[in-house]
Amino acid sequence: AVVSTQSTGEDKRRREQERLRELERVQKEEEERERKAREEEEERVREQNQRNHRISTNGDAFEVKAVYSFKTNDANELPFKKGSLLTVTEVIDENWYFGTFGSRSGIFPTSYVTPLNPPPPSQIIEEVARDDTFNRSGEESEDSTNYQDCELFVAQYNYQPKNTDELELLRGDLIEVIERCDDGWFVGTSQRTEQFGTFPGNYVKLHAEQPGDV
């Protein structure tokens, strides 16, 4: 009877240990999944920023919004909370910005922020009325006098098309512009997507190198 009681107790302890090991295994698998999910999200944001944060080195400042909180004890780094609006004054490299937040300034990782798009084109060009020189479908009238053979522009902001005849822009895209319309919109082809369409002219900037330059 004593042996039987000891055996039963050992069986219970063994089952309890196995249960605990199983719980630990499940917990570790869950932690590993969460870690991988965080790394994948950080990598996605980093890749997006590497695509979108291609700006010219002309010293122009631009605003970004924090998608994550950044905590640091380094005096050279700039801490902020998720949702904060910061001003970037210098692009150090593809991984770090230098900028300001309130009265403070410092460096911070590019993967923690995303650039803010400018106001919609309708708010910027609202004083210029659309005319008949270009009908937004790729056809130009005979009185159009501002046709260009080809000019190379670089996108300064992202732009998502609102109509089927519009061209998607990502920051850094090179656009071959064939016409600057009187209403402030441009017509051209994206070298990235090889798509043709219209887009707001205030979203791009003339490239330093033009077709035909030696």
Side-chain angles (χ1 to χ4, degrees):
V2 174
V3 173
S4 177
T5 302
Q6 291 177 344
S7 176
T8 302
E10 290 176 357
D11 289 342
K12 288 182 178 179
R13 284 194 297 272
R14 185 168 57 253
R15 286 195 296 269
E16 180 65 18
Q17 290 173 352
E18 290 175 352
R19 188 180 69 84
L20 290 175
R21 282 196 295 268
E22 178 65 16
L23 288 175
E24 290 177 358
R25 184 186 65 79
V26 172
Q27 183 176 359
K28 287 181 179 179
E29 288 180 352
E30 182 65 24
E31 291 175 351
E32 181 67 15
R33 281 196 296 269
E34 291 179 355
R35 183 186 65 80
K36 287 183 178 180
R38 285 196 303 270
E39 289 179 352
E40 289 175 358
E41 177 64 15
E42 290 175 358
E43 180 65 21
R44 184 190 67 79
V45 173
R46 187 178 300 111
E47 290 178 354
Q48 178 182 347
N49 286 332
Q50 287 175 355
R51 290 195 304 267
N52 294 345
H53 292 173
R54 305 300 187 189
I55 67 168
S56 58
T57 56
N58 54 12
D60 290 343
F62 60 96
E63 287 191 327
V64 295
K65 183 177 182 179
V67 293
Y68 302 108
S69 296
F70 178 56
K71 298 179 181 180
T72 178
N73 294 321
D74 192 321
N76 296 318
E77 296 178 350
L78 181 63
F80 49 79
K81 293 183 178 180
K82 180 180 179 179
S84 300
L85 299 180
L86 303 91
T87 301
V88 176
T89 57
E90 182 182 354
V91 179
I92 297 176
D93 55 35
E94 65 181 16
N95 297 315
W96 290 92
Y97 284 153
F98 181 88
T100 60
F101 175 47
S103 59
R104 294 173 296 173
S105 62
I107 62 173
F108 54 92
T110 61
S111 59
Y112 278 63
V113 298
T114 186
L116 292 178
N117 286 336
S122 58
Q123 296 181 11
I124 300 175
I125 322 172
E126 58 185 358
E127 297 180 358
V128 183
R130 283 177 139 14
D131 57 24
D132 294 329
T133 58
F134 189 73
N135 63 11
R136 304 298 304 284
S137 64
E139 300 174 2
E140 55 181 327
S141 68
E142 294 180 357
D143 0 349
S144 179
T145 57
N146 55 358
Y147 180 81
Q148 303 286 334
D149 287 340
C150 182
E151 290 180 301
L152 191 61
F153 282 77
V154 59
Q156 300 295 294
Y157 308 98
N158 297 342
Y159 178 71
Q160 288 298 321
K162 307 298 189 299
N163 299 291
T164 56
D165 61 343
E166 295 179 358
L167 187 65
E168 179 192 44
L169 300 179
L170 294 180
R171 179 187 288 273
D173 279 357
L174 295 179
I175 314 297
E176 297 174 0
V177 173
I178 63 169
E179 182 178 6
R180 303 192 200 186
C181 299
D182 292 336
D183 59 5
W185 287 69
F186 289 179
V187 186
T189 302
S190 168
Q191 291 187 356
R192 176 177 60 86
T193 64
E194 297 183 351
Q195 296 295 312
F196 174 84
T198 64
F199 56 91
N202 59 317
Y203 275 52
V204 298
K205 184 175 183 179
L206 192 65
H207 196 276
E209 298 180 2
Q210 291 300 309
D213 289 351
V214 178

